[in-house]
Amino acid sequence: RSLIMKIINTLIIVTFLGACTKSNPQNEINDALDSLHYYASTADQKNYIDLFSKNAIFFGTDIKERWSIDSFELYVESRFSTGVGWTYKPKSRNIFVSKNKRTAWFDELIENKSYGVFRGTGVLILENSEWKISQYNLLLPIPNDYLQKYANEIKKHYTNN
């Protein structure tokens, strides 16, 4: 009888430990995005670029900044080779995971000391059992009260260039 109880207890413990070690996609995605901002702030090119999928696209704040991962890596290298990256501190984040747990999307508010609060949005995919950023879109939100004024300035800028 005590052997049966030991077996049952062992099975319960193994089952419990197995449940505890199952990955949580939202935690893993949160870690990937936190790492993105950390590696950018420390100008760690290899680890920064490794967070992106092989076909990733990065959208910067300028309308001309639609970079494939290869062209974005060249830009990152030109910045990080000087030892200077960029620092954005996450303020809030929402993460959503697809039912099949292979695709996720997010939005976050991140703060830069010089420019203020930005919004980052994007998509991650599960690639070789790791969450990789497939698309990142960085934008500077414009308050509605200023939208027309800045929209006119931006329109004028792109018309003249």
Side-chain angles (χ1 to χ4, degrees):
R1 197 169 189 182
S2 65
L3 178 61
I4 292 174
M5 287 307 285
K6 285 182 183 177
I7 292 171
I8 290 172
N9 285 338
T10 302
L11 287 174
I12 290 171
I13 290 170
V14 168
T15 302
F16 176 75
L17 289 175
C20 289
T21 60
K22 281 189 181 174
S23 65
N24 180 335
Q26 288 196 329
N27 287 344
E28 292 173 6
I29 292 162
N30 203 43
D31 289 346
L33 294 171
D34 284 346
S35 294
L36 178 79
H37 299 306
Y38 173 76
Y39 293 136
S41 71
T42 60
D44 183 338
Q45 180 184 345
K46 182 193 180 327
N47 285 317
Y48 182 80
I49 291 298
D50 283 351
L51 292 167
F52 290 89
S53 70
K54 60 184 177 231
N55 296 318
I57 300 291
F58 188 97
F59 293 94
T61 56
D62 191 295
I63 200 166
K64 298 172 188 167
E65 294 176 333
R66 182 192 188 278
W67 288 307
S68 68
I69 191 59
D70 293 333
S71 57
F72 185 57
E73 185 171 12
L74 293 174
Y75 171 74
V76 169
E77 181 180 19
S78 72
R79 285 286 302 269
F80 288 11
S81 67
T82 66
V84 177
W86 45 84
T87 301
Y88 292 93
K89 301 252 186 230
K91 296 178 67 62
S92 66
R93 183 177 292 145
N94 299 295
I95 297 171
F96 307 91
V97 180
S98 66
K99 286 183 182 179
N100 70 1
K101 294 185 168 115
R102 299 198 54 78
T103 305
W105 54 100
F106 69 94
D107 62 271
E108 63 182 358
L109 294 179
I110 52 179
E111 189 166 17
N112 176 278
K113 195 180 229 180
S114 298
Y115 297 107
V117 177
F118 284 73
R119 176 175 291 134
T121 64
V123 176
L124 292 94
I125 58 172
L126 201 57
E127 195 174 85
N128 298 322
S129 303
E130 288 185 77
W131 285 101
K132 298 289 185 173
I133 300 163
S134 183
Q135 183 185 99
Y136 194 95
N137 187 359
L138 180 66
L139 61 95
L140 179 61
I142 300 171
N144 288 333
D145 292 346
Y146 296 102
L147 186 58
Q148 190 62 60
K149 174 185 173 186
Y150 289 116
N152 288 338
E153 291 295 319
I154 292 167
K155 194 179 343 177
K156 196 182 322 175
H157 171 80
Y158 285 118
T159 302
N160 294 332
N161 289 328

